[in-house]
Amino acid sequence: MSTPSDITDDTTAGAGADPAAHTEPAETSSGVSTTAVAVDEKPAEAGTVTSDSADAAEPVKPKKNKDKSAKGSAKGKSSKKNKKGKKAAQPSRGPVVAAVVVAAVASVLAIVFGTLWATDGSDDELAALQAKLATEEEAEKVAGDYALNVSKVDYQNIDAWRQALETGVTQQLKEKMEIAVDVVAPLLTQMQYVSTAEKLAATVAHSDGNQYVVRVFVDMDSKSRQTPDGVTATASYTITLDKASGWTITDVGGIGAGLPGQPGN
C-alpha cells in the first residue's frame, strides 16, 4: 500500500519529466513515423532519382534488349561492310588467267609451227644446201691445189713443174701446157728462177650444171739473178672444172702470172 509520500514522489517525478514523452503513446509515435514515410514517398522532382525509385526502375529491361538488338544489327552491318571491303581488297585473278592463256596459246603455236617446219620440205632444202656446199668445197680444193702446185717453180727441175701443169687436166689442155713449158723453160733456166707459194683463198665464182669456175689467189715469193733478195707477188688463177668427169680441169687462166717475161714482171 502506497503511502502519501510515495504518491507525492511519483507526482513530482511526473511533473519534472517531458510532457510529450508521457502524453504521446507508442502508437502515436508509430503513426508519426508512418506519416513521415508517406511524406518521403512523394514523387521526386523531374531529373531527381531516389534510391527507392531507382530500385523500382531497375526491372525495365526491354530497352536494354532493344539496345543490344540495335547494336547487333549495327555489328552485322559493319561486318557485312568489312566483308565487302575484304572482298574488294582481294587481288584480281584476271591478269593471272590472261597470262596462263597467253602461255598456252604460245605453246600451241610453237607446236604447230614446229610440225609445219618438219613437214614443209625444209629437211630436203637443208640437205640440198649441205650437198651444194660440200660440192663447192671439193671444187675449191681441187682448183686450189692445182694453182698452188703450178706456182712452185725451180729452174733446176723444170720437169716437176711440167708435171704439175699437166696433172688433172683434159688432153686438149695438156697439149697447150706442154707448148707453154717449152717456151718458158729456157728463160727460167737462164734467170735461175725459183719460186715458193702459199694459197690465200679459193672460192667458186659460179657454176652451171657440172661446170664449176673457181677463183684462186696465191702468194708467190720468187728469186732470180735479177732479184736475189726476192720478190713477193700475188697470182690469180681462174680454173674451170668438170664435176661429171671427176673434177677434170678443162681450162686455166692466169698461168704464168708472176713468172719472168709476163706482163708486169
Side-chain angles (χ1 to χ4, degrees):
M1 182 175 180
S2 302
T3 60
S5 59
D6 295 333
I7 297 171
T8 303
D9 294 334
D10 295 334
T11 304
T12 305
D18 188 0
H22 293 280
T23 57
E24 293 179 0
E27 294 179 357
T28 305
S29 60
S30 63
V32 173
S33 62
T34 303
T35 304
V37 171
V39 171
D40 294 336
E41 290 179 355
K42 290 180 180 181
E45 295 180 359
T48 304
V49 178
T50 62
S51 62
D52 294 338
S53 62
D55 294 336
E58 183 177 358
V60 181
K61 294 182 179 180
K63 292 182 178 180
K64 292 183 179 180
N65 293 334
K66 291 181 179 180
D67 294 340
K68 289 182 179 180
S69 62
K71 290 180 179 180
S73 62
K75 288 181 179 179
K77 292 179 179 180
S78 63
S79 63
K80 289 180 180 179
K81 290 181 179 180
N82 291 335
K83 290 180 179 178
K84 290 181 179 179
K86 289 180 180 179
K87 290 182 179 179
Q90 290 179 354
S92 176
R93 295 183 179 179
V96 177
V97 174
V100 172
V101 172
V102 171
V105 171
S107 299
V108 172
L109 291 176
I111 294 172
V112 171
F113 283 117
T115 303
L116 292 176
W117 176 263
T119 57
D120 65 352
S122 60
D123 289 342
D124 296 338
E125 293 178 0
L126 180 60
L129 177 60
Q130 291 176 341
K132 178 182 178 182
L133 294 176
T135 302
E136 291 182 351
E137 184 178 357
E138 191 172 358
E140 291 167 355
K141 185 179 185 306
V142 173
D145 290 345
Y146 180 85
L148 180 62
N149 291 331
V150 299
S151 298
K152 297 175 181 179
V153 180
D154 187 350
Y155 74 96
Q156 294 179 341
N157 191 2
I158 297 299
D159 289 338
W161 183 49
R162 185 190 302 273
Q163 183 178 0
L165 289 170
E166 296 175 358
T167 300
V169 299
T170 61
Q171 184 61 35
Q172 183 179 1
L173 184 57
K174 180 178 179 180
E175 293 175 358
K176 290 182 179 179
M177 292 301 178
E178 289 179 352
I179 295 172
V181 171
D182 292 340
V183 171
V184 177
L187 183 59
L188 297 177
T189 302
Q190 180 181 355
M191 296 181 63
Q192 299 180 358
Y193 183 87
V194 177
S195 67
T196 58
E198 180 181 359
K199 183 176 68 176
L200 297 178
T203 181
V204 173
H206 59 85
S207 62
D208 183 10
N210 289 322
Q211 301 296 312
Y212 287 78
V213 179
V214 182
R215 294 293 303 274
V216 183
F217 298 90
V218 178
D219 260 354
M220 296 178 62
D221 293 327
S222 62
K223 293 181 180 181
S224 67
R225 293 175 64 180
Q226 287 75 17
T227 57
D229 295 332
V231 175
T232 300
T234 300
S236 173
Y237 300 89
T238 302
I239 302 175
T240 304
L241 305 97
D242 181 25
K243 177 185 175 183
S245 60
W247 295 113
T248 303
I249 297 173
T250 60
D251 190 22
V252 177
I255 291 292
L259 294 176
Q262 301 300 316
N265 296 306

